[in-house]
Protein backbone atom coordinates (compact mmCIF):
# COMPACT_ATOMS: atom_id res chain seq x y z
CA UNK A 1 0.00 0.00 0.00
CA UNK A 2 2.83 2.34 0.96
CA UNK A 3 4.46 1.79 -2.46
CA UNK A 4 1.21 2.59 -4.27
CA UNK A 5 0.76 5.76 -2.24
CA UNK A 6 4.32 6.91 -3.00
CA UNK A 7 3.83 6.15 -6.68
CA UNK A 8 0.60 8.22 -6.87
CA UNK A 9 2.28 11.19 -5.20
CA UNK A 10 5.34 10.94 -7.48
CA UNK A 11 3.19 10.86 -10.62
CA UNK A 12 1.03 13.79 -9.45
CA UNK A 13 4.15 15.80 -8.68
CA UNK A 14 5.80 15.04 -12.00
CA UNK A 15 2.56 15.98 -13.81
CA UNK A 16 2.82 19.41 -12.20
CA UNK A 17 0.72 19.19 -9.01
CA UNK A 18 1.81 21.64 -6.31
CA UNK A 19 0.12 19.42 -3.68
CA UNK A 20 -1.26 15.88 -3.72
CA UNK A 21 -2.65 13.40 -1.27
CA UNK A 22 -3.93 9.87 -1.51
CA UNK A 23 -6.28 7.84 0.67
CA UNK A 24 -6.24 4.07 0.26
CA UNK A 25 -9.21 2.70 2.20
CA UNK A 26 -10.67 -0.68 3.05
CA UNK A 27 -14.26 -0.57 4.33
CA UNK A 28 -16.16 -3.32 6.08
CA UNK A 29 -19.85 -2.64 6.71
CA UNK A 30 -22.60 -4.77 8.14
CA UNK A 31 -26.22 -3.83 8.72
CA UNK A 32 -28.81 -6.20 10.13
CA UNK A 33 -32.49 -5.27 10.15
CA UNK A 34 -35.43 -7.09 11.69
CA UNK A 35 -39.17 -6.59 11.50
CA UNK A 36 -41.23 -8.33 14.16
CA UNK A 37 -39.81 -11.85 14.52
CA UNK A 38 -37.88 -12.07 11.25
CA UNK A 39 -34.77 -10.71 9.57
CA UNK A 40 -35.89 -8.16 6.97
CA UNK A 41 -32.56 -6.88 5.75
CA UNK A 42 -28.93 -7.92 5.74
CA UNK A 43 -25.98 -6.08 4.22
CA UNK A 44 -22.45 -7.35 4.69
CA UNK A 45 -19.81 -5.91 2.42
CA UNK A 46 -16.17 -5.17 2.04
CA UNK A 47 -14.71 -2.64 -0.33
CA UNK A 48 -11.26 -1.35 -1.22
CA UNK A 49 -10.17 1.63 -3.28
CA UNK A 50 -8.09 4.77 -3.50
CA UNK A 51 -8.72 8.46 -4.13
CA UNK A 52 -6.05 10.88 -5.33
CA UNK A 53 -6.56 14.59 -4.73
CA UNK A 54 -4.29 17.23 -6.20
CA UNK A 55 -3.85 20.96 -6.58
CA UNK A 56 -2.57 22.03 -10.00
CA UNK A 57 -2.77 25.49 -11.56
CA UNK A 58 -4.38 26.63 -8.29
CA UNK A 59 -7.39 24.26 -8.58
CA UNK A 60 -8.48 20.98 -7.06
CA UNK A 61 -8.53 17.80 -9.10
CA UNK A 62 -9.64 14.38 -7.95
CA UNK A 63 -9.83 10.83 -9.29
CA UNK A 64 -10.49 7.48 -7.66
CA UNK A 65 -9.96 3.85 -8.52
CA UNK A 66 -11.20 0.53 -7.19
CA UNK A 67 -8.26 -1.19 -8.84
CA UNK A 68 -5.18 -1.16 -6.65
CA UNK A 69 -2.45 -1.77 -9.18
CA UNK A 70 0.51 0.44 -10.04
CA UNK A 71 -1.00 1.23 -13.46
CA UNK A 72 -4.44 2.14 -12.08
CA UNK A 73 -2.95 4.35 -9.36
CA UNK A 74 -0.75 6.16 -11.88
CA UNK A 75 -3.77 6.65 -14.15
CA UNK A 76 -5.80 8.11 -11.25
CA UNK A 77 -2.98 10.52 -10.36
CA UNK A 78 -2.69 11.71 -13.99
CA UNK A 79 -6.48 12.04 -14.25
CA UNK A 80 -6.65 14.09 -11.03
CA UNK A 81 -4.10 16.54 -12.42
CA UNK A 82 -5.98 16.73 -15.75
CA UNK A 83 -9.22 17.51 -13.84
CA UNK A 84 -7.45 20.29 -11.90
CA UNK A 85 -6.08 21.79 -15.12
CA UNK A 86 -9.55 21.63 -16.70
CA UNK A 87 -11.04 23.33 -13.61
CA UNK A 88 -8.50 26.15 -13.88
CA UNK A 89 -9.97 27.05 -17.30
CA UNK A 90 -12.98 28.39 -15.38
CA UNK A 91 -10.61 31.04 -13.90
CA UNK A 92 -11.62 30.93 -10.21
CA UNK A 93 -11.36 34.17 -8.16
CA UNK A 94 -8.37 32.92 -6.22
CA UNK A 95 -6.17 29.86 -6.21
CA UNK A 96 -6.66 27.19 -3.54
CA UNK A 97 -4.35 28.03 -0.63
CA UNK A 98 -4.00 25.51 2.19
CA UNK A 99 -3.46 26.47 5.82
CA UNK A 100 -0.04 25.14 6.87
CA UNK A 101 0.13 21.77 8.61
CA UNK A 102 2.93 19.84 10.25
CA UNK A 103 4.15 16.55 8.85
CA UNK A 104 2.67 13.57 10.70
CA UNK A 105 3.84 9.99 10.66
CA UNK A 106 1.49 8.13 12.96
CA UNK A 107 -0.96 5.28 13.52
CA UNK A 108 -4.41 5.84 15.06
CA UNK A 109 -6.17 2.69 16.15
CA UNK A 110 -8.49 2.99 19.16
CA UNK A 111 -8.99 -0.19 21.15
CA UNK A 112 -11.67 -2.62 20.00
CA UNK A 113 -12.35 -5.20 22.72
CA UNK A 114 -14.72 -7.38 20.66
CA UNK A 115 -14.39 -7.17 16.88
CA UNK A 116 -18.08 -6.95 15.81
CA UNK A 117 -17.34 -8.84 12.60
CA UNK A 118 -16.31 -11.92 14.63
CA UNK A 119 -19.73 -12.02 16.34
CA UNK A 120 -21.98 -14.34 14.27
CA UNK A 121 -24.72 -12.57 12.31
CA UNK A 122 -27.16 -15.14 13.77
CA UNK A 123 -26.33 -13.97 17.33
CA UNK A 124 -27.03 -10.36 16.37
CA UNK A 125 -30.25 -11.20 14.51
CA UNK A 126 -31.41 -13.39 17.41
CA UNK A 127 -30.93 -10.54 19.87
CA UNK A 128 -33.03 -8.21 17.71
CA UNK A 129 -35.70 -10.90 17.28
CA UNK A 130 -35.83 -11.49 21.06
CA UNK A 131 -36.26 -7.75 21.52
CA UNK A 132 -39.06 -7.84 18.91
CA UNK A 133 -40.76 -10.76 20.69
CA UNK A 134 -40.57 -8.96 24.01
CA UNK A 135 -42.30 -5.91 22.50
CA UNK A 136 -44.89 -7.96 20.58
CA UNK A 137 -45.89 -9.59 23.89
CA UNK A 138 -47.83 -6.35 24.35
CA UNK A 139 -51.01 -7.02 22.35
CA UNK A 140 -51.39 -3.43 21.13
CA UNK A 141 -47.92 -3.44 19.55
CA UNK A 142 -48.46 -4.30 15.90
CA UNK A 143 -45.02 -3.73 14.43
CA UNK A 144 -41.45 -3.78 15.66
CA UNK A 145 -38.23 -2.86 13.91
CA UNK A 146 -34.66 -3.49 15.05
CA UNK A 147 -31.29 -2.73 13.56
CA UNK A 148 -27.58 -3.03 14.13
CA UNK A 149 -24.82 -1.29 12.20
CA UNK A 150 -21.09 -2.04 12.22
CA UNK A 151 -18.43 -0.26 10.23
CA UNK A 152 -14.68 -0.55 10.03
CA UNK A 153 -12.52 1.90 8.10
CA UNK A 154 -8.84 1.12 7.56
CA UNK A 155 -7.18 4.04 5.84
CA UNK A 156 -3.70 4.97 4.68
CA UNK A 157 -3.31 8.71 4.11
CA UNK A 158 -0.19 10.16 2.50
CA UNK A 159 0.56 13.57 1.04
CA UNK A 160 3.36 15.32 -0.84
CA UNK A 161 4.30 17.24 2.32
CA UNK A 162 5.52 13.95 3.82
CA UNK A 163 2.65 12.92 6.10
CA UNK A 164 1.90 9.22 6.37
CA UNK A 165 -1.09 8.35 8.57
CA UNK A 166 -2.56 4.92 9.29
CA UNK A 167 -6.12 4.88 10.65
CA UNK A 168 -8.22 1.91 11.77
CA UNK A 169 -11.58 2.80 13.35
CA UNK A 170 -14.61 0.60 14.10
CA UNK A 171 -18.15 1.85 14.78
CA UNK A 172 -20.91 -0.12 16.54
CA UNK A 173 -24.55 0.89 16.88
CA UNK A 174 -28.02 -0.58 17.45
CA UNK A 175 -31.59 0.49 18.06
CA UNK A 176 -35.25 -0.52 17.85
CA UNK A 177 -38.79 0.81 17.57
CA UNK A 178 -42.23 -0.42 18.60
CA UNK A 179 -45.37 0.80 16.81
CA UNK A 180 -48.72 0.40 18.49
CA UNK A 181 -52.27 0.65 17.14
CA UNK A 182 -54.87 1.63 19.73
CA UNK A 183 -57.46 4.29 20.52
CA UNK A 184 -57.96 4.98 16.81
CA UNK A 185 -54.33 6.04 16.45
CA UNK A 186 -50.90 4.62 15.56
CA UNK A 187 -47.85 5.78 17.49
CA UNK A 188 -44.33 4.56 18.11
CA UNK A 189 -41.52 4.65 20.67
CA UNK A 190 -37.84 4.01 20.03
CA UNK A 191 -34.75 2.98 21.97
CA UNK A 192 -31.28 4.00 20.81
CA UNK A 193 -28.26 3.51 23.03
CA UNK A 194 -25.41 5.90 22.09
CA UNK A 195 -23.50 4.75 18.98
CA UNK A 196 -19.73 4.82 19.39
CA UNK A 197 -16.46 4.20 17.60
CA UNK A 198 -15.76 0.98 19.47
CA UNK A 199 -16.30 -2.74 19.17
CA UNK A 200 -19.27 -4.97 19.87
CA UNK A 201 -18.83 -4.14 23.57
CA UNK A 202 -20.82 -0.99 22.78
CA UNK A 203 -23.97 -3.07 22.14
CA UNK A 204 -25.72 -3.17 25.55
CA UNK A 205 -27.29 -6.61 25.12
CA UNK A 206 -28.89 -6.89 28.59
CA UNK A 207 -30.19 -3.33 28.52
CA UNK A 208 -31.72 -3.78 25.04
CA UNK A 209 -33.69 -6.77 26.32
CA UNK A 210 -34.58 -5.12 29.63
CA UNK A 211 -35.90 -1.90 28.04
CA UNK A 212 -38.09 -3.63 25.42
CA UNK A 213 -41.27 -4.00 27.58
CA UNK A 214 -41.07 -0.32 28.63
CA UNK A 215 -40.62 0.82 25.01
CA UNK A 216 -43.62 -1.31 23.97
CA UNK A 217 -45.74 0.03 26.84
CA UNK A 218 -44.87 3.64 25.98
CA UNK A 219 -45.74 3.10 22.30
CA UNK A 220 -49.23 2.05 23.46
CA UNK A 221 -49.43 4.89 25.98
CA UNK A 222 -48.50 7.25 23.12
CA UNK A 223 -51.74 6.26 21.31
CA UNK A 224 -53.79 7.30 24.36
CA UNK A 225 -51.79 10.47 25.01
CA UNK A 226 -53.41 13.89 25.26
CA UNK A 227 -53.19 16.10 22.17
CA UNK A 228 -50.42 18.72 22.31
CA UNK A 229 -51.25 22.01 23.97
CA UNK A 230 -50.81 25.13 21.82
CA UNK A 231 -48.91 28.12 23.17
CA UNK A 232 -45.73 29.01 25.01
CA UNK A 233 -44.29 26.26 27.19
CA UNK A 234 -41.06 25.63 29.05
CA UNK A 235 -39.34 22.70 27.36
CA UNK A 236 -36.98 20.22 28.99
CA UNK A 237 -35.12 18.35 26.25
CA UNK A 238 -33.33 15.06 26.87
CA UNK A 239 -29.78 14.38 25.58
CA UNK A 240 -30.94 12.25 22.61
CA UNK A 241 -33.36 14.93 21.49
CA UNK A 242 -30.72 17.65 21.94
CA UNK A 243 -28.30 15.70 19.73
CA UNK A 244 -30.50 16.51 16.72
CA UNK A 245 -31.21 20.11 17.76
CA UNK A 246 -27.49 20.74 18.24
CA UNK A 247 -26.71 19.03 14.93
CA UNK A 248 -29.12 21.09 12.85
CA UNK A 249 -28.99 24.51 14.52
CA UNK A 250 -25.35 24.65 15.64
CA UNK A 251 -23.39 21.94 13.82
CA UNK A 252 -24.36 22.71 10.24
CA UNK A 253 -24.51 26.45 10.96
CA UNK A 254 -20.83 26.48 11.96
CA UNK A 255 -19.34 24.52 9.04
CA UNK A 256 -17.14 27.22 7.52
CA UNK A 257 -17.60 26.15 3.88
CA UNK A 258 -21.35 26.73 4.27
CA UNK A 259 -20.80 29.96 6.20
CA UNK A 260 -18.68 31.21 3.28
CA UNK A 261 -21.28 30.15 0.69
CA UNK A 262 -18.99 27.56 -0.89
CA UNK A 263 -21.39 24.65 -0.25
CA UNK A 264 -25.14 25.16 -0.44
CA UNK A 265 -26.86 21.81 -1.00
CA UNK A 266 -29.38 20.46 1.54
CA UNK A 267 -30.37 23.62 3.47
CA UNK A 268 -26.86 24.77 2.88
CA UNK A 269 -25.95 28.26 4.05
CA UNK A 270 -25.63 29.83 7.49
CA UNK A 271 -26.50 32.98 9.39
CA UNK A 272 -23.36 32.56 11.56
CA UNK A 273 -21.10 34.64 9.30
CA UNK A 274 -17.45 35.48 10.17
CA UNK A 275 -18.06 39.09 11.29
CA UNK A 276 -20.08 37.55 14.16
CA UNK A 277 -17.10 35.55 15.42
CA UNK A 278 -16.29 36.61 18.97
CA UNK A 279 -19.25 38.96 19.42
CA UNK A 280 -22.51 37.26 18.37
CA UNK A 281 -24.83 36.05 21.12
CA UNK A 282 -25.72 32.51 19.97
CA UNK A 283 -27.22 31.48 23.29
CA UNK A 284 -27.56 32.37 26.95
CA UNK A 285 -24.59 32.52 29.31
CA UNK A 286 -25.00 28.88 30.38
CA UNK A 287 -24.66 27.65 26.78
CA UNK A 288 -21.20 26.26 25.86
CA UNK A 289 -20.69 24.17 22.72
CA UNK A 290 -17.39 22.36 22.48
CA UNK A 291 -16.06 20.61 19.38
CA UNK A 292 -13.92 17.64 20.35
CA UNK A 293 -12.65 15.18 17.77
CA UNK A 294 -10.36 13.72 20.45
CA UNK A 295 -13.41 12.45 22.42
CA UNK A 296 -12.84 8.73 23.16
CA UNK A 297 -15.50 6.72 21.31
CA UNK A 298 -16.72 9.81 19.46
CA UNK A 299 -18.25 9.09 16.07
CA UNK A 300 -15.96 11.70 14.48
CA UNK A 301 -12.89 10.56 16.46
CA UNK A 302 -10.70 9.39 13.57
CA UNK A 303 -7.41 10.77 14.87
CA UNK A 304 -6.80 12.80 11.73
CA UNK A 305 -9.06 14.24 9.04
CA UNK A 306 -8.69 13.77 5.28
CA UNK A 307 -6.42 16.82 5.09
CA UNK A 308 -3.99 15.03 7.43
CA UNK A 309 -4.79 17.44 10.29
CA UNK A 310 -4.89 16.02 13.84
CA UNK A 311 -8.09 15.83 15.89
CA UNK A 312 -8.57 18.84 18.16
CA UNK A 313 -10.78 20.23 20.91
CA UNK A 314 -11.99 23.82 20.62
CA UNK A 315 -14.87 26.14 21.51
CA UNK A 316 -17.71 26.76 19.05
CA UNK A 317 -19.81 28.77 21.52
CA UNK A 318 -18.47 29.98 24.86
CA UNK A 319 -20.85 31.39 27.51
CA UNK A 320 -23.28 32.04 24.68
CA UNK A 321 -20.85 33.80 22.30
CA UNK A 322 -19.89 32.40 18.87
CA UNK A 323 -16.20 31.45 19.07
CA UNK A 324 -15.35 29.02 16.29
CA UNK A 325 -16.10 26.94 13.22
CA UNK A 326 -15.32 23.56 11.78
CA UNK A 327 -12.75 24.06 9.03
CA UNK A 328 -10.63 22.40 6.36
CA UNK A 329 -7.13 23.49 5.33
CA UNK A 330 -8.74 25.24 2.37
CA UNK A 331 -11.31 27.37 4.24
CA UNK A 332 -9.39 28.04 7.49
CA UNK A 333 -7.36 30.95 5.97
CA UNK A 334 -10.64 32.78 5.14
CA UNK A 335 -11.08 33.58 8.85
CA UNK A 336 -7.37 34.25 9.38
CA UNK A 337 -6.76 30.89 11.08
CA UNK A 338 -3.19 29.63 10.92
CA UNK A 339 -4.21 25.97 11.24
CA UNK A 340 -7.27 24.01 10.17
CA UNK A 341 -9.48 22.52 12.91
CA UNK A 342 -9.28 19.18 11.11
CA UNK A 343 -12.89 18.95 9.96
CA UNK A 344 -12.39 17.78 6.37
CA UNK A 345 -13.79 14.32 5.83
CA UNK A 346 -14.91 12.20 2.87
CA UNK A 347 -17.36 9.31 3.18
CA UNK A 348 -15.62 7.10 0.60
CA UNK A 349 -12.35 6.71 -1.29
CA UNK A 350 -14.29 7.95 -4.34
CA UNK A 351 -15.55 11.13 -2.61
CA UNK A 352 -13.80 14.47 -2.18
CA UNK A 353 -13.49 15.49 1.49
CA UNK A 354 -15.79 18.31 2.60
CA UNK A 355 -16.05 20.28 5.84
CA UNK A 356 -17.90 18.23 8.42
CA UNK A 357 -19.52 18.77 11.79
CA UNK A 358 -17.11 17.55 14.49
CA UNK A 359 -18.11 15.76 17.67
CA UNK A 360 -20.03 18.78 18.95
CA UNK A 361 -21.49 18.79 22.42
CA UNK A 362 -23.40 20.98 24.81
CA UNK A 363 -21.30 21.22 27.96
CA UNK A 364 -23.03 20.06 31.14
CA UNK A 365 -24.22 22.68 33.61
CA UNK A 366 -21.60 23.78 36.16
CA UNK A 367 -24.07 23.81 39.08
CA UNK A 368 -25.25 20.52 40.53
CA UNK A 369 -28.67 19.82 38.99
CA UNK A 370 -30.48 16.54 38.37
CA UNK A 371 -33.25 15.88 35.85
CA UNK A 372 -35.72 15.33 38.71
CA UNK A 373 -34.76 18.68 40.24
CA UNK A 374 -35.15 20.40 36.87
CA UNK A 375 -38.62 18.91 36.38
CA UNK A 376 -39.54 19.81 39.98
CA UNK A 377 -38.53 23.40 39.23
CA UNK A 378 -40.78 23.67 36.14
CA UNK A 379 -44.39 24.83 36.57
CA UNK A 380 -45.84 24.44 33.08
CA UNK A 381 -43.77 22.56 30.56
CA UNK A 382 -43.07 19.54 28.38
CA UNK A 383 -40.25 17.01 28.73
CA UNK A 384 -39.28 15.75 25.25
CA UNK A 385 -37.32 12.54 24.76
CA UNK A 386 -35.67 11.26 21.58
CA UNK A 387 -35.50 12.39 17.99
CA UNK A 388 -38.47 12.99 15.71
CA UNK A 389 -39.29 15.06 12.66
CA UNK A 390 -37.45 18.30 11.98
CA UNK A 391 -37.15 21.05 9.44
CA UNK A 392 -34.86 24.07 9.29
CA UNK A 393 -34.43 26.83 6.76
CA UNK A 394 -31.41 27.29 4.47
CA UNK A 395 -29.82 29.85 6.83
CA UNK A 396 -30.17 27.49 9.83
CA UNK A 397 -32.38 29.99 11.65
CA UNK A 398 -36.10 29.15 11.63
CA UNK A 399 -36.82 25.61 12.71
CA UNK A 400 -39.42 23.14 13.89
CA UNK A 401 -38.70 19.94 15.82
CA UNK A 402 -40.85 17.03 16.94
CA UNK A 403 -39.60 14.23 19.18
CA UNK A 404 -40.07 10.57 20.09
CA UNK A 405 -41.94 10.94 23.39
CA UNK A 406 -43.53 13.90 25.20
CA UNK A 407 -44.41 14.29 28.89
CA UNK A 408 -46.57 17.06 30.26
CA UNK A 409 -45.16 18.83 33.34
CA UNK A 410 -47.55 20.64 35.72
CA UNK A 411 -46.32 22.25 38.94
CA UNK A 412 -43.07 20.32 39.03
CA UNK A 413 -44.54 16.91 38.25
CA UNK A 414 -44.95 14.75 35.15
CA UNK A 415 -48.72 14.32 34.87
CA UNK A 416 -49.04 12.32 31.63
CA UNK A 417 -48.01 11.76 28.07
CA UNK A 418 -48.72 14.12 25.16
CA UNK A 419 -48.75 13.48 21.42
CA UNK A 420 -48.15 15.44 18.21
CA UNK A 421 -45.92 17.94 19.99
CA UNK A 422 -43.77 20.15 17.78
CA UNK A 423 -42.00 23.35 18.72
CA UNK A 424 -40.89 26.27 16.61
CA UNK A 425 -38.12 28.77 17.25
CA UNK A 426 -35.20 30.72 15.78
CA UNK A 427 -31.70 29.45 16.52
CA UNK A 428 -30.23 32.32 18.67
CA UNK A 429 -33.59 32.97 20.36
CA UNK A 430 -33.93 29.27 21.20
CA UNK A 431 -30.44 28.84 22.67
CA UNK A 432 -30.88 32.26 24.29
CA UNK A 433 -33.89 30.89 26.19
CA UNK A 434 -31.84 28.05 27.73
CA UNK A 435 -31.71 28.81 31.47
CA UNK A 436 -30.65 25.51 33.05
CA UNK A 437 -28.56 22.48 32.08
CA UNK A 438 -28.23 19.36 34.23
CA UNK A 439 -24.75 18.54 35.48
CA UNK A 440 -22.19 16.08 34.14
CA UNK A 441 -23.81 13.04 35.80
CA UNK A 442 -26.58 13.33 33.21
CA UNK A 443 -24.38 13.96 30.16
CA UNK A 444 -24.87 11.37 27.38
CA UNK A 445 -22.82 11.21 24.15
CA UNK A 446 -25.52 10.43 21.58
CA UNK A 447 -24.86 11.10 17.93
CA UNK A 448 -25.87 11.11 14.29
CA UNK A 449 -24.90 8.22 11.98
CA UNK A 450 -26.44 9.51 8.76
CA UNK A 451 -25.58 13.19 8.31
CA UNK A 452 -26.10 14.00 4.63
CA UNK A 453 -24.16 16.82 3.03
CA UNK A 454 -22.87 17.79 -0.40
CA UNK A 455 -23.92 17.09 -3.95
CA UNK A 456 -23.56 14.23 -4.70
CA UNK A 457 -24.53 13.58 -1.11
CA UNK A 458 -22.03 12.13 1.33
CA UNK A 459 -22.93 10.51 4.66
CA UNK A 460 -20.93 11.21 7.80
CA UNK A 461 -21.20 10.46 11.51
CA UNK A 462 -20.50 12.56 14.60
CA UNK A 463 -21.26 12.57 18.33
CA UNK A 464 -23.42 15.20 20.04
CA UNK A 465 -23.30 14.93 23.82
CA UNK A 466 -25.63 16.80 26.15
CA UNK A 467 -27.27 16.80 29.57
CA UNK A 468 -31.02 17.53 29.82
CA UNK A 469 -31.60 21.27 29.42
CA UNK A 470 -34.51 23.67 29.88
CA UNK A 471 -35.72 26.27 27.37
CA UNK A 472 -38.17 28.94 28.55
CA UNK A 473 -41.36 29.98 26.76
CA UNK A 474 -41.02 28.18 23.42
CA UNK A 475 -43.89 28.15 20.89
CA UNK A 476 -45.45 24.69 20.94
CA UNK A 477 -48.14 22.91 18.96
CA UNK A 478 -48.62 25.36 16.12
CA UNK A 479 -48.26 22.73 13.40
CA UNK A 480 -50.80 20.44 15.02
CA UNK A 481 -53.27 23.31 15.56
CA UNK A 482 -52.97 24.35 11.92
CA UNK A 483 -53.51 20.77 10.78
CA UNK A 484 -56.68 20.40 12.88
CA UNK A 485 -58.13 23.70 11.66
CA UNK A 486 -57.27 23.07 8.01
CA UNK A 487 -60.26 22.89 5.69
CA UNK A 488 -60.28 22.02 2.02
CA UNK A 489 -60.33 25.15 -0.12
CA UNK A 490 -63.78 25.53 -1.64
ZN1 LIG B 1 -26.37 16.71 9.08
Amino acid sequence: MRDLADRALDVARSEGASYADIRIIRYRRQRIETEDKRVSGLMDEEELGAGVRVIADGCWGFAGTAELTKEAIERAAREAVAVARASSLAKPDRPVILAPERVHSVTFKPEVKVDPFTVPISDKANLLIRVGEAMLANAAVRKTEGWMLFKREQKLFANTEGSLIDIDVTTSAAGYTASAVANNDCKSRSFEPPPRTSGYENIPVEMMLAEAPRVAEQAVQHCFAKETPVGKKDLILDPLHLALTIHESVGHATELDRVLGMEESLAGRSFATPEKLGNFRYGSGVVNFTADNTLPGGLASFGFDDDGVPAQRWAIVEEGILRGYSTSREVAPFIGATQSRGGNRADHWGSIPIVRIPNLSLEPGRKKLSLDELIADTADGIFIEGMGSFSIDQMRLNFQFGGDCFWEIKNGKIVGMLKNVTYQSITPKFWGSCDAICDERFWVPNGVLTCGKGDPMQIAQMTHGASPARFRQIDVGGASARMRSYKNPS
Side-chain angles (χ1 to χ4, degrees):
M1 291 300 167
R2 175 84 193 271
D3 294 351
L4 288 176
D6 286 343
R7 189 65 202 135
L9 300 179
D10 285 346
V11 169
R13 220 185 269 115
S14 66
E15 293 286 315
S18 57
Y19 169 88
D21 59 38
I22 179 167
R23 292 172 294 125
I24 303 176
I25 313 175
R26 180 188 299 276
Y27 297 101
R28 178 81 195 271
R29 302 188 199 91
Q30 191 179 80
R31 187 177 167 92
I32 299 154
E33 291 169 9
T34 57
E35 282 180 37
D36 302 336
K37 299 175 186 178
R38 65 187 177 87
V39 174
S40 58
L42 175 61
M43 180 268 283
D44 193 12
E45 61 179 17
E46 192 172 51
E47 204 195 341
L48 180 64
V52 182
R53 189 177 66 146
V54 306
I55 299 173
D57 294 346
C59 289
W60 285 118
F62 179 83
T65 175
E67 201 187 320
L68 290 187
T69 61
K70 186 166 160 283
E71 295 70 33
I73 286 284
E74 288 174 354
R75 197 162 55 236
R78 277 194 299 272
E79 205 174 298
V81 176
V83 169
R85 292 212 194 286
S87 296
S88 75
L89 298 176
K91 302 215 181 320
D93 297 340
R94 51 170 270 168
V96 175
I97 297 164
L98 301 182
E101 184 53 50
R102 282 170 296 129
V103 172
H104 303 278
S105 192
V106 64
T107 296
F108 181 77
K109 188 179 180 186
E111 188 194 9
V112 169
K113 290 199 180 87
V114 183
D115 177 357
F117 300 101
T118 64
V119 177
I121 288 173
S122 55
D123 287 8
K124 298 163 181 162
N126 280 334
L127 171 61
L128 293 175
I129 286 169
R130 282 173 67 198
V131 165
E133 280 170 347
M135 294 193 289
L136 288 165
N138 190 317
V141 171
R142 298 294 173 82
K143 177 107 207 143
T144 70
E145 289 156 284
W147 59 273
M148 284 194 200
L149 176 69
F150 305 99
K151 297 196 265 187
R152 183 176 181 188
E153 187 171 323
Q154 293 166 280
K155 174 162 61 186
L156 178 73
F157 172 96
N159 69 14
T160 47
E161 294 168 353
S163 279
L164 186 68
I165 302 165
D166 243 311
I167 290 171
D168 187 345
V169 174
T170 297
T171 301
S172 298
Y176 56 83
T177 300
S179 296
V181 176
N183 189 33
N184 220 9
D185 209 344
C186 173
K187 291 288 175 193
S188 64
R189 182 74 170 113
S190 294
F191 179 69
E192 272 180 58
R196 283 197 176 90
T197 49
S198 86
Y200 196 75
E201 65 273 14
N202 188 47
I203 306 299
V205 175
E206 295 309 317
M207 188 199 278
M208 284 174 69
L209 288 165
E211 293 289 331
R214 173 191 62 82
V215 171
E217 178 52 42
Q218 290 185 347
V220 180
Q221 196 182 351
H222 202 168
C223 295
F224 291 93
K226 215 169 96 182
E227 190 61 47
T228 180
V230 179
K232 291 197 187 301
K233 297 284 169 190
D234 291 345
L235 300 183
I236 297 176
L237 305 179
D238 90 326
L240 183 55
H241 180 91
L242 280 167
L244 189 61
T245 321
I246 293 167
H247 183 87
E248 301 298 343
S249 71
V250 187
H252 282 305
T254 54
E255 292 169 321
L256 190 56
D257 58 340
R258 283 185 152 160
V259 168
L260 296 171
M262 293 163 75
E263 158 58 46
E264 297 190 22
S265 292
L266 304 170
R269 294 198 71 166
S270 172
F271 72 94
T273 41
E275 79 284 356
K276 297 188 177 76
L277 200 57
N279 59 67
F280 181 75
R281 184 152 283 287
Y282 212 107
S284 70
V286 299
V287 172
N288 292 281
F289 290 111
T290 303
D292 187 3
N293 286 343
T294 71
L295 181 74
L299 294 172
S301 300
F302 282 84
F304 287 78
D305 75 348
D306 291 333
D307 276 339
V309 176
Q312 297 161 45
R313 180 184 159 95
W314 73 101
I316 296 289
V317 168
E318 217 168 22
E319 294 179 351
I321 304 297
L322 177 66
R323 291 285 176 201
Y325 296 108
S326 181
T327 64
S328 63
R329 289 182 68 183
E330 180 182 6
V331 299
F334 284 84
I335 51 164
T338 53
Q339 191 196 13
S340 166
R341 289 302 190 180
N344 215 26
R345 293 193 279 148
D347 72 345
H348 192 258
W349 52 258
S351 305
I352 301 169
I354 53 178
V355 176
R356 281 302 192 165
I357 303 175
N359 298 319
L360 175 67
S361 301
L362 177 65
E363 293 288 310
R366 285 167 193 163
K367 284 187 208 138
K368 222 168 159 61
L369 178 67
S370 71
L371 176 59
D372 288 345
E373 286 165 341
L374 187 56
I375 290 170
D377 182 54
T378 302
D380 181 25
I382 303 171
F383 174 46
I384 303 183
E385 293 184 292
M387 297 181 190
S389 68
F390 72 93
S391 87
I392 189 161
D393 73 16
Q394 80 284 4
M395 298 308 279
R396 300 275 159 189
L397 272 174
N398 292 275
F399 62 67
Q400 174 172 297
F401 284 89
D404 190 53
C405 188
F406 316 96
W407 303 95
E408 186 169 34
I409 303 170
K410 288 286 179 202
N411 302 317
K413 288 194 170 58
I414 286 181
V415 294
M417 200 188 275
L418 297 169
K419 65 181 174 187
N420 301 327
V421 175
T422 56
Y423 64 91
Q424 301 83 40
S425 193
I426 295 170
T427 297
K429 193 178 152 193
F430 174 76
W431 292 107
S433 77
C434 179
D435 77 333
I437 304 173
C438 294
D439 66 58
E440 62 200 4
R441 292 170 296 162
F442 301 87
W443 194 85
V444 185
N446 291 294
V448 170
L449 288 163
T450 54
C451 169
K453 181 178 174 183
D455 194 354
M457 189 167 78
Q458 297 186 37
I459 301 294
Q461 61 183 41
M462 58 288 290
T463 288
H464 299 302
S467 297
R470 182 173 60 192
F471 300 79
R472 293 288 198 183
Q473 297 297 292
I474 302 294
D475 286 315
V476 165
S480 185
R482 278 193 294 279
M483 192 179 75
R484 286 198 302 273
S485 64
Y486 182 79
K487 292 188 178 55
N488 283 327
S490 49

